[in-house]
Amino acid sequence: MKKTALANLDAFNKETFRQDLIGWFEQEQRTLPWRQDQDPYKVWVSEIMLQQTRVDTVIPYFNRFIEQFPTIEALAEAEEDKVLKAWEGLGYYSRARNLQAAVREVHEHYGGRVPDNPKEISSLKGVGPYTAGAILSIAYGIPEPAVDGNVMRVLSRILSIWEDIAKPATRKIFEEAVRELISHENPSFFNQALMELGALICTPTSPSCLLCPVREHCHAFYEGKQSELPIKTKNKKQKDVQIAAVVLRDREGRYLIRKRPEKGLLANLWEFPNTEISLAFLHEKDQLAELIKEQYGAIIETAEMTGQIDHVFTHLTWHIHVYKGTLLSLEEERSDLKLVTEEELKEFAFPVSHQKMLKHVQEHK
DNA sequence: CATACGTGGCC
DNA sequence: TGGCCAAGTAT
């Protein structure tokens, strides 16, 4: 433990802090679908969905997911395409594939029981230090830290920790702080309360300190510096990528779609034929038809440009130049290519960018 | 350690 | 509007 960062713990009344924090949580916690019981599987699913994702966004996905895959066994035995379809629109799709891979591991090698110790649970795909601690504490009542962005923000203020929370190494400082502070009587509520406080009171901008149940324990509030914490360095600017994409239909009106590679961006999702292209060639229709032929073996009729869609990811922006065209023929049978009707299209998981593209072309007429 | 990895909401 | 944010993990 860094002594300088946690020096304030010495003069800190841990027991009243725990009582004030947990007491507030018992009164004020939101009713959420994953708080109905402590089923380790449901806690697990909720924690994966909540990674980098807002509670309001997750709620409907969680309800549908649990309805469709109610148990470890149900998810283990599902087709991956069904799981991705259930995740469609939620983002960070490797979470879904890692979750299913890990659930299959639990099904096959742990008798369907989610591990209850740090070593085994941390070995599961997609389960990092935060998620391991969250499941162990919430589902099993084990006093392990669950340090997420909320916890770092809340504790940086309470304990006056001025380390950069954007740096990976900083998380360890907060884990040590939680190990010192955590209630062994109720580690589940302690961890959840810290996060709930961050979500409802100790917010990133303009925290509601006058409503805060632990403001008397808060070093930043005492010094009036709550708006200066936490320290978080800025991200770099993202890249721009030009894409030419074409919504192709054959003479029977079926759409040509392709499954993306199993690694990388939007892995294993479906999409419309597209190619990265330099700005200089954007309006060369023959060039686009040639590239589509090379990459898809698809012979197409001169495509018509229908507009542009910009789609922002965390680390890059796609500028999608959208065309529509007719598929004349396919050179070979390929397992990553399918011709599907408009009705069948609904069964495949598409990234939001390609959903926008389809809508755009259908409204173009 | 830095970067890849989604999306929607907010100001 | 563009940047920032939201219950992180893998490499």
Side-chain angles (χ1 to χ4, degrees):
Chain A
M1 154 161 53
K2 276 202 180 174
K3 201 164 188 182
T4 49
L6 299 181
N8 297 310
L9 268 176
D10 296 338
F12 193 88
N13 192 327
K14 297 174 193 172
E15 190 48 41
T16 59
F17 173 73
R18 289 177 196 123
Q19 285 172 9
D20 292 342
L21 181 66
I22 291 174
W24 170 82
F25 182 72
E26 287 170 337
Q27 288 296 313
E28 304 294 337
Q29 65 167 301
R30 293 167 290 181
T31 300
L32 296 171
W34 46 89
R35 287 181 175 162
Q36 297 303 118
D37 60 55
Q38 293 155 229
D39 175 0
Y41 169 65
K42 285 190 252 177
V43 172
W44 185 4
V45 170
S46 73
E47 291 302 339
I48 300 297
M49 286 189 171
L50 285 163
Q51 290 170 5
Q52 302 291 286
T53 310
R54 285 183 162 74
V55 165
D56 288 345
T57 303
V58 167
I59 290 172
Y61 280 91
F62 176 83
N63 288 330
R64 289 194 298 265
F65 196 92
I66 292 300
E67 189 176 354
Q68 189 175 358
F69 312 111
T71 61
I72 296 264
E73 186 171 7
L75 183 56
E77 292 174 352
E79 289 174 28
E80 186 190 275
D81 275 351
K82 303 282 187 193
V83 178
L84 285 174
K85 184 65 188 177
W87 211 271
E88 183 184 55
L90 199 51
Y92 287 141
Y93 299 95
S94 67
R95 290 183 296 175
R97 293 182 305 114
N98 286 338
L99 172 62
Q100 191 185 28
V103 158
R104 285 175 170 169
E105 169 80 6
V106 168
H107 183 54
E108 290 167 25
H109 295 111
Y110 292 97
R113 185 159 192 279
V114 180
D116 62 357
N117 62 83
K119 189 179 166 76
E120 287 178 333
I121 202 166
S122 299
S123 75
L124 299 171
K125 278 187 184 171
V127 178
Y130 162 75
T131 305
I135 298 172
L136 291 173
S137 61
I138 297 170
Y140 293 119
I142 295 167
E144 283 289 319
V147 174
D148 69 342
N150 283 313
V151 172
M152 289 198 280
R153 181 174 62 258
V154 168
L155 289 184
S156 73
R157 289 171 176 163
I158 292 174
L159 301 177
S160 190
I161 295 173
W162 294 73
E163 310 284 332
D164 181 3
I165 66 165
K167 297 211 178 311
T170 303
R171 197 196 71 248
K172 294 192 176 68
I173 295 171
F174 289 92
E175 284 177 350
E176 288 311 308
V178 172
R179 286 189 193 282
E180 296 283 328
L181 292 174
I182 194 168
S183 162
H184 285 244
E185 195 178 321
N186 196 342
S188 167
F189 275 23
F190 182 89
N191 280 341
Q192 292 188 74
L194 233 31
M195 294 188 275
E196 194 81 340
L197 190 67
L200 301 181
I201 303 285
C202 195
T203 48
T205 56
S206 53
S208 306
C209 297
L210 297 183
L211 299 176
C212 181
V214 293
R215 67 175 180 279
E216 291 180 13
H217 304 274
C218 184
H219 194 275
F221 178 67
Y222 181 73
E223 301 215 309
K225 294 186 173 177
Q226 61 271 22
S227 63
E228 298 173 41
L229 286 166
I231 302 292
K232 190 177 185 185
T233 53
K234 318 277 185 193
N235 320 353
K236 289 179 183 175
K237 201 164 49 180
Q238 33 90 151
K239 291 188 301 187
D240 290 287
V241 177
Q242 307 296 332
I243 304 275
V246 55
V247 176
L248 290 169
R249 305 182 76 169
D250 67 6
R251 291 200 179 78
E252 298 168 41
R254 294 176 303 183
Y255 292 86
L256 179 63
I257 60 173
R258 171 227 186 200
K259 191 173 191 170
R260 291 178 61 88
E262 60 183 348
K263 300 258 180 198
L265 185 64
L266 305 167
N268 283 1
L269 270 66
W270 292 81
E271 66 179 7
F272 298 106
N274 66 89
T275 180
E276 189 171 340
I277 195 165
S278 70
L279 269 177
F281 292 106
L282 268 182
H283 299 288
E284 306 273 348
K285 290 184 199 169
D286 296 343
Q287 177 82 9
L288 174 60
E290 183 58 31
L291 288 168
I292 295 297
K293 184 183 173 213
E294 284 172 18
Q295 294 177 28
Y296 296 83
I299 313 300
I300 68 175
E301 203 169 74
T302 313
E304 177 195 355
M305 229 292 237
T306 64
Q308 179 175 337
I309 289 172
D310 292 337
H311 189 78
V312 181
F313 296 91
T314 307
H315 59 302
L316 60 87
T317 298
W318 273 355
H319 301 280
I320 309 175
H321 304 263
V322 184
Y323 293 78
K324 69 199 277 190
T326 305
L327 174 68
L328 300 178
S329 66
L330 279 173
E331 286 181 333
E332 54 170 341
E333 195 81 4
R334 268 169 54 172
S335 62
D336 63 329
L337 297 181
K338 275 190 197 304
L339 274 170
V340 298
T341 65
E342 192 152 347
E343 196 58 27
E344 290 167 337
L345 220 42
K346 298 184 177 69
E347 303 300 315
F348 295 83
F350 285 85
V352 168
S353 52
H354 284 249
Q355 293 173 34
K356 283 189 211 165
M357 205 159 82
L358 176 62
K359 192 162 184 287
H360 177 265
V361 166
Q362 287 176 335
E363 287 171 356
H364 182 65
K365 308 219 159 147

